[in-house]
Amino acid sequence: MSKILARRGRWSAYRLVLMQVFVAGIVTIIFSGMWGVRFGASALAGTIIAVLPNFVFATLAFSHSGASSADKIIKSFYLGEAVKMLLTIVLFSLVFLNMDVEFMPLFVTYAIALTVHWAAPLYFKQS
């Protein structure tokens, strides 16, 4: 039963990540189509910086479930959040050091992806 609960939680988190990818992907295509490849690449970088850490968090945080493994659940959430923050910092650093990015599409796409992640649970039906 606990593996089923972990799978449900992980799938819900993955749906959030997929919604982020979808919306941020559309924004990336708009930036690329209206302002060119450089803006599109910057928007894509913002998408990856927002989505990849959330995917890693979802994978780590929902690896355990059940009342008997409450300590493992808490530790996996803390570990997932710590890895998410560190990965976000590393990805921003890599982008700023290795790419010639436009800041506006990078941060706009990043902010939109995070906003989708915060707002998406309002649209999902909970059973």
Side-chain angles (χ1 to χ4, degrees):
M1 180 69 175
S2 65
K3 292 203 185 270
I4 293 171
L5 292 174
R7 198 174 324 134
R8 280 186 194 165
R10 192 177 310 123
W11 175 241
S12 293
Y14 286 161
R15 283 185 7 194
L16 285 171
V17 172
L18 286 173
M19 186 173 265
Q20 276 185 303
V21 169
F22 178 73
V23 172
I26 289 173
V27 173
T28 300
I29 291 169
I30 290 170
F31 272 117
S32 184
M34 292 184 73
W35 291 287
V37 175
R38 183 172 171 180
F39 273 67
S42 298
L44 180 63
T47 300
I48 291 170
I49 292 169
V51 170
L52 187 62
N54 283 327
F55 175 77
V56 171
F57 171 79
T59 302
L60 292 174
F62 293 101
S63 58
H64 302 287
S65 70
S68 63
S69 60
D71 289 338
K72 290 180 184 178
I73 293 170
I74 292 171
K75 287 178 184 177
S76 66
F77 265 83
Y78 282 136
L79 175 66
E81 190 62 33
V83 170
K84 178 180 165 181
M85 286 183 196
L86 288 173
L87 187 56
T88 302
I89 293 167
V90 167
L91 289 173
F92 266 119
S93 299
L94 287 174
V95 165
F96 289 142
L97 292 174
N98 297 321
M99 288 180 65
D100 185 25
V101 294
E102 294 289 335
F103 294 111
M104 191 265 299
L106 175 84
F107 287 115
V108 165
T109 310
Y110 178 76
I112 287 173
L114 289 184
T115 304
V116 166
H117 188 74
W118 295 332
L122 299 173
Y123 300 106
F124 290 144
K125 180 181 178 185
Q126 298 294 323
S127 57

